[in-house]
Amino acid sequence: MASRELKKRMPGSARRARIVEAALEVFAARGYHATAMEEIAIAAGVTRSVLYDHFPSKRVLMITVLQEQNALLVAHVGARITGSGSPGRRLRATLDAYFSFAEDRPAARRLLFDHTDEDDPEIKAVRWGIRETRTRSVAVMLGRDLRRLGLDPEAEIAQAVVELLISGTDGLAQWWARHPAVPREQLVEAAMLVLWNGLSQLPGADVR
Amino acid sequence: MASRELKKRMPGSARRARIVEAALEVFAARGYHATAMEEIAIAAGVTRSVLYDHFPSKRVLMITVLQEQNALLVAHVGARITGSGSPGRRLRATLDAYFSFAEDRPAARRLLFDHTDEDDPEIKAVRWGIRETRTRSVAVMLGRDLRRLGLDPEAEIAQAVVELLISGTDGLAQWWARHPAVPREQLVEAAMLVLWNGLSQLPGADVR
DNA sequence: CCGCTAACCGACGAATGTGTCGGTTGAAAA
DNA sequence: TTTTCAACCGACACATTCGTCGGTTAGCGG
């Protein structure tokens, strides 16, 4: 896709990268069990056997993709938010960073968030780990705000609130994937409207 | 499971109901592609062939389960919320109704909400339809509140906000499934805290 | 120009899973 | 009791797909 590499031979590492990218697309589109290694191979421009030269099994390939894409997400979001600023600004920056990731790498977002349960036990465990650390780091980032709500960031119920925030935000991103015409700024606005301001829309409440 | 029916023969309709219930459990636990008809058959106390006496294919069985369980959800939530009361009360009642469904029929909740994408094209279409009408009816129910936020309930962005609400709420329910010790009332409280009141926690804001 | 490493392929074996079909037998009706 | 319907089962045919293995050849280093 990137350039013209018409059926030429590639160095191992480059081929591996291509395979991971292809696997990401197919896994995200079809789900783990529904994708055949054959499809990934075709998308990567090789035969099935080549996949097994790089990864010992479908399962390991899937896990690799999950972890690499999650690392990208963490890097992307981490790079765009500064620890400083007012609570409202921080939340806004984080939402914008996440939506920006969803815009840049839609397949990665889908793979990481859409398929909540599915797939096999070992992969499920990996997903769990990823989700767990994600929730924790958001909880840390929102520590001050949670405390202001009367919640101890370490307490169980605070984690629940964070899950609500994350799930809700991704639900919005999911909706966005089906309505791509809407500009990102408007999405951030909508999310702030609910999450920061609340549905009660008290007089004097200001999104900014 | 329900009573002692030790390998006895059952009337068709009863067997069919048992199959649907068994299919619900297995599909919810493993996902569509990962479940074998054999598993469902065993869970239902019969052989694979019997499944095909009641349903022409795995796909149709899945679709049937989805639609029946969704009908149950709609009935459950519909029965518990009154159209009247203050906006805050209505939201609270709805949240409580949904969490109560999640408590009563955890497998149904997982099947309907967790597997967002996955499975095959035709099933995906059915899921889409269910989701679409669900979003729409919630938007109608919140019409007054959305308008108060300056959103036209028919507008695209209002639907996005509703998606956020639904996804966030279910994210909370998902978390609950892993922390069953927390009482339902506390969940409702947490959801109201964020969705109604907002993270900004403005002075004077009251959850009640 | 030559040799050798490693990127690549085709074909095979085994496992799993869907849907079909003919036949068997419990149990309700006559 | 006898008949009859339908609930039930075992076994088969066919398709799909994972993972393996031996061999082929591109292309870089000498």
Side-chain angles (χ1 to χ4, degrees):
Chain A
M1 305 263 181
S3 58
R4 288 277 62 82
E5 74 300 312
L6 282 167
K7 56 188 144 237
K8 272 295 171 195
R9 204 169 272 209
M10 291 174 68
S13 64
R15 180 61 76 195
R16 187 196 144 104
R18 247 180 111 72
I19 290 173
V20 170
E21 202 62 28
L24 164 63
E25 295 296 333
V26 184
F27 279 141
R30 305 236 193 295
Y32 178 73
H33 279 99
T35 67
M37 291 294 260
E38 178 78 24
E39 287 184 272
I40 297 173
I42 291 172
V46 288
T47 339
R48 257 193 23 264
S49 323
V50 177
L51 304 191
Y52 289 95
D53 287 346
H54 291 275
F55 303 92
S57 71
K58 184 182 176 182
R59 178 187 290 142
V60 170
L61 174 55
M62 173 63 152
I63 292 175
T64 304
V65 173
L66 277 177
Q67 285 171 336
E68 289 192 8
Q69 298 304 316
N70 183 58
L72 255 54
L73 168 61
V74 170
H76 184 104
V77 174
R80 311 212 157 199
I81 59 171
T82 73
S84 64
S86 74
R89 276 203 182 291
R90 283 212 324 273
L91 178 59
R92 176 184 287 269
T94 308
L95 291 171
D96 190 71
Y98 180 65
F99 290 136
S100 146
F101 178 80
E103 195 169 21
D104 284 3
R105 303 189 63 77
R109 190 206 62 76
R110 291 176 63 189
L111 189 66
L112 287 171
F113 288 85
D114 281 8
H115 310 284
T116 318
D117 221 332
E118 208 81 4
D119 36 62
D120 99 349
E122 192 174 338
I123 297 176
K124 205 179 286 194
V126 172
R127 266 222 165 79
W128 249 72
I130 289 176
R131 183 182 185 139
E132 185 77 15
T133 70
R134 180 169 61 217
T135 304
R136 237 178 257 289
S137 51
V138 172
V140 167
M141 194 176 63
L142 292 177
R144 200 171 292 276
D145 310 77
L146 292 172
R147 242 182 281 275
R148 200 149 37 83
L149 289 175
L151 300 172
D152 173 12
E154 299 298 323
E156 258 193 340
I157 198 65
Q159 299 240 335
V161 165
V162 171
E163 289 279 0
L164 188 158
L165 294 175
I166 295 178
S167 299
T169 303
D170 185 67
L172 197 45
Q174 226 170 104
W175 174 89
W176 194 22
R178 281 176 285 137
H179 300 78
V182 177
R184 189 169 83 222
E185 177 56 30
Q186 202 175 340
L187 276 204
V188 177
E189 218 58 48
M192 285 298 283
L193 199 68
V194 177
L195 298 179
W196 184 252
N197 217 17
L199 283 178
S200 63
Q201 180 74 335
L202 295 164
D206 193 337
V207 176
R208 247 164 299 283
Chain B
M1 308 252 181
S3 57
R4 287 278 64 81
E5 74 298 312
L6 283 168
K7 57 189 141 235
K8 272 293 169 197
R9 203 170 272 210
M10 290 175 70
S13 64
R15 180 60 78 194
R16 186 197 145 104
R18 245 180 113 74
I19 290 173
V20 170
E21 201 61 29
L24 165 64
E25 295 294 334
V26 183
F27 279 142
R30 304 235 193 297
Y32 178 71
H33 279 100
T35 65
M37 291 293 262
E38 177 79 24
E39 288 183 271
I40 297 173
I42 293 173
V46 288
T47 341
R48 237 156 33 81
S49 323
V50 177
L51 304 191
Y52 289 95
D53 288 346
H54 292 275
F55 303 92
S57 71
K58 183 181 175 183
R59 178 186 291 141
V60 170
L61 174 54
M62 174 62 152
I63 291 175
T64 303
V65 174
L66 277 177
Q67 286 171 336
E68 289 191 9
Q69 296 305 314
N70 183 57
L72 256 55
L73 168 61
V74 170
H76 184 105
V77 173
R80 308 212 161 200
I81 59 174
T82 73
S84 64
S86 73
R89 277 205 181 289
R90 283 212 324 273
L91 178 59
R92 177 183 287 268
T94 308
L95 291 171
D96 191 70
Y98 180 65
F99 290 135
S100 147
F101 178 80
E103 194 169 22
D104 282 4
R105 302 190 64 78
R109 190 207 62 77
R110 290 177 64 188
L111 189 65
L112 288 171
F113 288 85
D114 281 9
H115 310 285
T116 318
D117 222 332
E118 207 81 3
D119 35 65
D120 99 349
E122 193 174 339
I123 297 175
K124 204 179 288 194
V126 173
R127 265 219 167 79
W128 250 71
I130 289 177
R131 183 183 184 138
E132 185 77 14
T133 69
R134 179 170 60 216
T135 304
R136 238 178 256 289
S137 51
V138 172
V140 167
M141 194 176 64
L142 293 176
R144 199 172 291 277
D145 310 78
L146 291 173
R147 242 184 281 276
R148 199 151 37 84
L149 289 174
L151 300 173
D152 172 14
E154 298 298 324
E156 258 193 338
I157 197 64
Q159 299 239 334
V161 165
V162 171
E163 289 279 359
L164 188 157
L165 293 175
I166 295 177
S167 300
T169 303
D170 185 66
L172 197 46
Q174 227 170 103
W175 175 88
W176 194 23
R178 281 174 285 137
H179 301 77
V182 177
R184 188 169 83 222
E185 178 57 30
Q186 199 174 342
L187 275 204
V188 177
E189 216 58 48
M192 285 299 282
L193 199 66
V194 176
L195 297 178
W196 184 251
N197 218 17
L199 282 178
S200 64
Q201 180 74 334
L202 295 164
D206 194 337
V207 176
R208 251 163 299 284

